[in-house]
Amino acid sequence: MHIQRRSFLQISTLATGSLLIPKLLKAFDGQPLGTVPAGNKVLIIVQFSGGNDGLNTVIPVTHDVYQKLRPTIGFKADKALKITDDVALHPALTGLQKMYGNGDLAILNGVGYDKPDRSHFRSMDIWQTGSSSSEVWQTGWLGRYLDHACNNCPMPTQGLELDDTLSLTLKGKTQKGLAVKDPKKLYTQSQQKLFKQLAAQHHEEEHEKPVDYLYKTLAQSVSSAGYIYEKTNAKASSMSYPATELGKGFKNISSLVLSDVNTKVYYISLGSFDTHVGQQATQQRLFKEFNDAVEVFVNDMKANNRFQDVLLMTFSEFGRRVGQNASGGTDHGTANNMFFMSGGLKEKGLLNPMADLGKLTEGDLEHSVDFKQVYSTILSKWLGADADEILGKKLQPLSFI
């Protein structure tokens, strides 16, 4: 069959959008739906893209240095959501304040790495791969987890990214996650006559040339798109999620968590938090979207007795400078904080002291926790994997899970 350039590009888009769905996923087609067993741990990561300002997220409202260096963008104690006498959350994070009070939220401060890089792209690569600042790796820390967990598995665990493209985080050496922003759209595309005809004409042995590999990927995508779409509708949430991109994403995640899909890792992004100018308005808008979606999701998981097996984690590639700039914003910084939400936390609230504002390096916070320790903790204690092998080094895990 002769393929016109436009048709080829359409096929390429579908194949790329489905991001090389592992062929073993096809074996799941037609399996009966059932109840997810207790203890089926799920990790959900929310990436705050662009470098979120941690100091206006978990706020040292009574600290003189904070108030002095942020005369217009800093929050006074009566304008933020207090969680201790000296610490408050951003005023948009009302749901997280409730979670803090309920023991469903843990906050880790001063997270970063040695010799921090202030480039968005480079620092994000470091966080997504789990490398040091002096190393350049081509695989993501969760991609390597998939390599580890899905090797020769009859029903391999999977990583799912709620986006159109797959981030480096979920790219392993032999396994990759699946990127699907809209399961219904992917399913509809996969059912188009052209795609189904091409998929039907593909033969397994024909994958030596790039175009044959594309055919193979397309055949797997057509076979598997229906499976993902089925799972998102199998136990559709009765909760009313916000009509935002993040809200829609969390509604899909909820439906999949509550179905019998064997997905262990979900990844979704929110941004941009690159607030060089007009930071207050941007953070307010983004944090409201985050807060509203996560609050419904947590209530959904609790109502379905799944919250104890769900761990939701946030991160950003770096924090911001301690002092505000002349444009009502903040420039690229270093250490930051991370949120952890779960019914399975062993330690709750503020896990460690706030970053030391009296000990700055060229106006930046010094990190006290290596982010790779967080990864080691999650891999070993939550996902039951060999963290040392996946991260390529031995790290001391933390004790919050």
Side-chain angles (χ1 to χ4, degrees), residues 201-309:
Q201 291 184 8
H202 168 69
H203 299 288
E204 268 309 307
E205 66 272 15
E206 295 178 356
H207 56 83
E208 295 181 1
K209 300 177 182 178
V211 69
D212 291 329
Y213 181 70
L214 181 61
Y215 283 151
K216 181 180 180 180
T217 300
L218 177 63
Q220 294 168 358
S221 301
V222 170
S223 174
S224 304
Y227 170 78
I228 296 295
Y229 182 50
E230 176 192 15
K231 298 305 183 187
T232 57
N233 288 281
K235 292 189 177 181
S237 173
S238 60
M239 296 280 187
S240 178
Y241 279 80
T244 59
E245 285 298 313
L246 198 68
K248 294 173 185 176
F250 268 101
K251 185 173 184 179
N252 283 328
I253 292 173
S254 170
S255 298
L256 290 166
V257 170
L258 298 179
S259 78
D260 64 347
V261 69
N262 197 28
T263 303
K264 299 290 287 183
V265 178
Y266 298 88
Y267 196 92
I268 192 166
S269 299
L270 178 68
S272 171
F273 284 89
D274 196 18
T275 51
H276 294 279
V277 178
Q279 175 171 299
Q280 285 186 321
T282 298
Q283 260 197 331
Q284 174 67 29
R285 172 177 55 82
L286 291 172
F287 276 155
K288 178 172 173 48
E289 182 174 352
F290 171 72
N291 178 85
D292 293 355
V294 168
E295 186 172 21
V296 175
F297 176 76
V298 168
N299 290 335
D300 201 356
M301 293 298 100
K302 286 184 174 182
N304 286 278
N305 297 314
R306 291 289 283 132
F307 191 49
Q308 68 276 9
D309 295 323

Side-chain angles (χ1 to χ4, degrees), residues 125-401:
D125 279 353
I126 291 168
W127 273 86
Q128 290 188 343
T129 62
S131 72
S132 70
S133 58
S134 61
E135 300 170 310
V136 177
W137 291 359
Q138 303 302 318
T139 58
W141 71 283
L142 287 173
R144 297 193 301 278
Y145 161 71
L146 293 177
D147 288 342
H148 171 91
C150 299
N151 185 28
N152 297 322
C153 292
M155 186 179 287
T157 56
Q158 301 295 328
L160 180 65
E161 183 160 2
L162 279 293
D163 206 334
D164 291 325
T165 57
L166 192 68
S167 67
L168 179 57
T169 307
L170 285 165
K171 294 179 180 178
K173 185 176 180 180
T174 61
Q175 301 289 336
K176 290 182 174 64
L178 165 68
V180 180
K181 190 171 187 178
D182 185 341
K184 182 178 180 180
K185 183 178 179 181
L186 176 63
Y187 173 70
T188 301
Q189 287 179 328
S190 74
Q191 297 306 299
Q192 291 180 17
K193 185 177 180 180
L194 172 63
F195 297 144
K196 297 190 79 171
Q197 285 179 338
L198 290 171
Q201 291 184 8
H202 168 69
H203 299 288
E204 268 309 307
E205 66 272 15
E206 295 178 356
H207 56 83
E208 295 181 1
K209 300 177 182 178
V211 69
D212 291 329
Y213 181 70
L214 181 61
Y215 283 151
K216 181 180 180 180
T217 300
L218 177 63
Q220 294 168 358
S221 301
V222 170
S223 174
S224 304
Y227 170 78
I228 296 295
Y229 182 50
E230 176 192 15
K231 298 305 183 187
T232 57
N233 288 281
K235 292 189 177 181
S237 173
S238 60
M239 296 280 187
S240 178
Y241 279 80
T244 59
E245 285 298 313
L246 198 68
K248 294 173 185 176
F250 268 101
K251 185 173 184 179
N252 283 328
I253 292 173
S254 170
S255 298
L256 290 166
V257 170
L258 298 179
S259 78
D260 64 347
V261 69
N262 197 28
T263 303
K264 299 290 287 183
V265 178
Y266 298 88
Y267 196 92
I268 192 166
S269 299
L270 178 68
S272 171
F273 284 89
D274 196 18
T275 51
H276 294 279
V277 178
Q279 175 171 299
Q280 285 186 321
T282 298
Q283 260 197 331
Q284 174 67 29
R285 172 177 55 82
L286 291 172
F287 276 155
K288 178 172 173 48
E289 182 174 352
F290 171 72
N291 178 85
D292 293 355
V294 168
E295 186 172 21
V296 175
F297 176 76
V298 168
N299 290 335
D300 201 356
M301 293 298 100
K302 286 184 174 182
N304 286 278
N305 297 314
R306 291 289 283 132
F307 191 49
Q308 68 276 9
D309 295 323
V310 170
L311 175 63
L312 195 160
M313 175 189 105
T314 69
F315 86 96
S316 197
E317 67 264 37
F318 46 62
R320 316 294 293 191
R321 304 299 298 273
V322 175
Q324 70 179 69
N325 61 27
S327 302
T330 50
D331 299 323
H332 299 179
T334 53
N336 213 337
N337 39 54
M338 301 177 72
F339 289 135
F340 303 93
M341 286 156 264
S342 178
L345 296 173
K346 290 185 176 180
E347 296 177 1
K348 306 159 187 181
L350 293 171
L351 299 177
N352 61 342
M354 298 284 285
D356 189 353
L357 294 183
K359 188 180 179 183
L360 304 180
T361 299
E362 297 180 353
D364 281 321
L365 300 173
E366 293 186 358
H367 82 280
S368 57
V369 179
D370 189 324
F371 76 95
K372 294 181 285 298
Q373 289 182 267
V374 176
Y375 292 176
S376 178
T377 305
I378 291 171
L379 288 167
S380 61
K381 295 187 176 184
W382 194 258
L383 296 176
D386 187 335
D388 296 348
E389 179 183 338
I390 292 168
L391 297 175
K393 60 196 71 177
K394 187 172 185 61
L395 295 151
Q396 181 63 42
L398 306 174
S399 55
F400 66 92
I401 54 173

Side-chain angles (χ1 to χ4, degrees), residues 59-67 75-77 82 84-88:
I59 311 166
V61 286
T62 61
H63 204 292
D64 291 342
V65 173
Y66 170 80
Q67 296 295 346
F75 288 100
K76 303 299 182 184
K82 295 193 76 172
T84 72
D85 290 341
D86 300 314
V87 180

